[in-house]
Amino acid sequence: MTDSKTYDVVVLGAGPVGENVADRARAGGLSVAIVESELVGGECSYWACMPSKALLRPVIARADARKVPGLRQSVQGPLDAAAVLAHRDDYTSHWKDDGQVSWLESIGVTLYRGHGRIAGARQVTVTGSDGTEQALTARHAVAVCTGTRAALPGLPGIADVKPWTSREATSADHVPGRLAVVGGGVVAVEMATAWQALGSQVTLLVRGDGLLPRMEPFAGELVAKALREAGAEVRTGVSVTAVQRENGTVTATLTGGDTLEADEILFATGRAPRTDDLGLETIGLEPGSWLSVDESLRVRGSTWLYAVGDANHRALLTHQGKYQARIAGAAIAARAQDVPLLETDRWGAHSATADLDAVPQVVFTDPEASSAGLTLAEAESAGHRVRAVDYDMSGVAGAGLYADGYEGRARMIVDLDREVLLGVTFVGPGVGELIHSATVAIAGEVPIDRLWHAVPAYPTISEVWLRLLETYRGA
């Protein structure tokens, strides 16, 4: 091992979250080292957000075009799967990270390739692929930004089957004839949408009674309806009890003894933190655990360790991780500068309040499902006195212009005591671009009376805001 090199901040993981922690710490005048064992840019750039949306964009565009008079007859044929996969490859930079490495260099962050492990307070050891080791010391902070990995169930035969996880589903170089998808969450429905449209016969196997269980119930209902109309089979209330592969065919045994054959099987059944081999035991923490943090993303009980992004289990979304990174980077810099009192109160500069109250999400299916803040069930469970206001989005002029036979639904959750919004959900074609307005309204705690003066342009789908407010006011 070479002599230890010292930096103000050492970041473990160079995905979007780690990159943003490094950027914010550098902007605060601190020296930063970042450690990465795979590709700089992380899961989102190569195996999640970017490749999945590159696969889904032509699917959604075709679906929208088929609902436009004068255009629908031109887009009735199949997608060019090879072109879609090539487009996906471009968006992953063909799984090369040269561009992102150059960006790190441009902001003055030092990159260490290898596996980083905590070796005591403010100490990190980096083991390279050739076995060489480098010791790093952090003057002020170590930030764990290692994200999550797909969690596979402990089923008999699963190791021999070599199932797809989200990584294989977003990087596959061929279209399987038959694809079984296990799960009903975001990854499951997005990949079912993409591969069904690309030519697979998709069967979705859902343990619960519906899709997208963390959103309003109508979101999963509308997405399931569309998947079935696209030719996919959606089975609810069913679990996989065993899997095997023989002569290239996967056979899944289901509850009740039924079996299903497929060419590939995707398990989209949850995530686990990448904290199992980080040396947490050297500082009294449990390897493989989610790391509990305070408002500034500092690990509880520590003065120097931060957990930012998925590893803290607050909100497993790339954009929320990047938001946390901005908060954590500012907090690290402030503490390094001996700022006497950080702004960790609600919505303060050093408090990741949005993780609790204003998380936005878009599910890129056909139709799209988007939400911000709390669902009705979550608001009621939290003890708020609320009213849910619903509107059929087909009643908005802009929706009818967007697509013939537009089908969608909107809901806003109003806090009756404060007359502000706690949550908003939109489901329908094109609604992904609506959700930031909801996020602003929730994070800004804009009073309903003031929202009445936010005039939506006519004729756009955004006019649904006016219809929701009219429904709430009863006029």
Side-chain angles (χ1 to χ4, degrees), residues 101-167:
V101 171
S102 296
W103 177 79
L104 283 177
E105 293 172 348
S106 74
I107 63 171
V109 172
T110 303
L111 171 65
Y112 287 88
R113 297 273 194 182
H115 180 67
R117 296 185 86 254
I118 295 168
R122 297 184 176 85
Q123 303 297 313
V124 171
T125 300
V126 182
T127 303
S129 58
D130 60 358
T132 59
E133 293 186 347
Q134 173 66 59
L136 305 177
T137 298
R139 293 188 187 93
H140 299 293
V142 173
V144 175
C145 307
T146 49
T148 58
R149 61 168 59 88
L152 289 173
L155 295 176
I158 196 167
D160 297 329
V161 167
K162 296 182 180 178
W164 279 10
T165 66
S166 53
R167 283 198 170 196

Side-chain angles (χ1 to χ4, degrees), residues 249-336:
T249 297
V250 177
T251 301
T253 302
L254 312 178
T255 47
D258 291 345
T259 60
L260 173 71
E261 291 188 347
D263 298 293
E264 300 291 350
I265 186 167
L266 162 63
F267 280 90
T269 49
R271 309 290 296 179
R274 290 179 178 269
T275 61
D276 50 318
D277 190 20
L278 289 184
L280 294 180
E281 68 280 1
T282 68
I283 54 172
L285 296 174
E286 182 182 351
S289 64
W290 303 101
L291 298 175
S292 178
V293 296
D294 63 16
E295 295 82 357
S296 67
L297 292 313
R298 187 167 59 177
V299 173
R300 297 189 187 280
S302 175
T303 59
W304 56 271
L305 184 65
Y306 292 73
V308 192
D310 285 5
N312 62 40
H313 207 236
R314 285 169 66 98
L316 275 64
L317 295 160
T318 296
H319 47 270
Q320 288 302 124
K322 292 166 70 174
Y323 160 73
Q324 291 177 19
R326 297 190 291 272
I327 300 295
I332 291 168
R335 287 179 173 127

Side-chain angles (χ1 to χ4, degrees), residues 103-457:
W103 177 79
L104 283 177
E105 293 172 348
S106 74
I107 63 171
V109 172
T110 303
L111 171 65
Y112 287 88
R113 297 273 194 182
H115 180 67
R117 296 185 86 254
I118 295 168
R122 297 184 176 85
Q123 303 297 313
V124 171
T125 300
V126 182
T127 303
S129 58
D130 60 358
T132 59
E133 293 186 347
Q134 173 66 59
L136 305 177
T137 298
R139 293 188 187 93
H140 299 293
V142 173
V144 175
C145 307
T146 49
T148 58
R149 61 168 59 88
L152 289 173
L155 295 176
I158 196 167
D160 297 329
V161 167
K162 296 182 180 178
W164 279 10
T165 66
S166 53
R167 283 198 170 196
E168 289 77 20
T170 56
S171 63
D173 61 2
H174 69 285
V175 180
R178 301 165 297 174
L179 175 65
V181 179
V182 184
V186 176
V187 172
V189 298
E190 286 191 345
M191 290 298 93
T193 299
W195 289 108
Q196 178 69 33
L198 287 168
S200 292
Q201 177 54 56
V202 170
T203 302
L204 197 57
L205 303 171
V206 186
R207 183 173 57 185
D209 57 4
L211 306 182
L212 300 174
R214 300 195 177 199
M215 301 184 83
E216 297 286 6
F218 62 82
E221 292 165 6
L222 288 170
V223 170
K225 178 176 181 287
L227 279 169
R228 290 186 173 111
E229 290 174 350
E233 184 178 1
V234 181
R235 301 189 194 178
T236 58
V238 62
S239 297
V240 177
T241 59
V243 287
Q244 65 176 4
R245 186 186 289 271
E246 186 174 351
N247 298 324
T249 297
V250 177
T251 301
T253 302
L254 312 178
T255 47
D258 291 345
T259 60
L260 173 71
E261 291 188 347
D263 298 293
E264 300 291 350
I265 186 167
L266 162 63
F267 280 90
T269 49
R271 309 290 296 179
R274 290 179 178 269
T275 61
D276 50 318
D277 190 20
L278 289 184
L280 294 180
E281 68 280 1
T282 68
I283 54 172
L285 296 174
E286 182 182 351
S289 64
W290 303 101
L291 298 175
S292 178
V293 296
D294 63 16
E295 295 82 357
S296 67
L297 292 313
R298 187 167 59 177
V299 173
R300 297 189 187 280
S302 175
T303 59
W304 56 271
L305 184 65
Y306 292 73
V308 192
D310 285 5
N312 62 40
H313 207 236
R314 285 169 66 98
L316 275 64
L317 295 160
T318 296
H319 47 270
Q320 288 302 124
K322 292 166 70 174
Y323 160 73
Q324 291 177 19
R326 297 190 291 272
I327 300 295
I332 291 168
R335 287 179 173 127
Q337 296 160 7
D338 293 323
V339 172
L341 187 63
L342 268 62
E343 298 176 41
T344 56
D345 55 326
R346 181 176 165 81
W347 303 115
H350 308 113
S351 177
T353 309
D355 284 345
L356 305 177
D357 295 334
V359 174
Q361 182 171 18
V362 178
V363 184
F364 291 84
T365 46
D366 170 37
E368 291 178 344
S370 62
S371 65
L374 304 180
T375 64
L376 174 60
E378 289 169 340
E380 290 177 337
S381 178
H384 297 289
R385 193 172 67 91
V386 296
R387 176 183 165 192
V389 181
D390 294 316
Y391 194 80
D392 182 345
M393 294 187 65
S394 66
V396 177
L401 289 168
Y402 190 94
D404 271 5
Y406 191 104
E407 187 174 4
R409 186 172 170 184
R411 168 174 286 182
M412 69 179 187
I413 308 301
V414 181
D415 182 329
L416 295 174
D417 294 320
R418 295 188 297 141
E419 288 277 298
V420 298
L421 300 185
L422 295 178
V424 179
T425 298
F426 299 118
V427 182
V431 300
E433 297 300 336
L434 285 182
I435 204 60
H436 190 59
S437 56
T439 306
V440 171
I442 295 166
E445 298 180 339
V446 182
I448 291 287
D449 285 349
R450 180 58 60 87
L451 282 176
W452 184 248
H453 294 280
V455 182

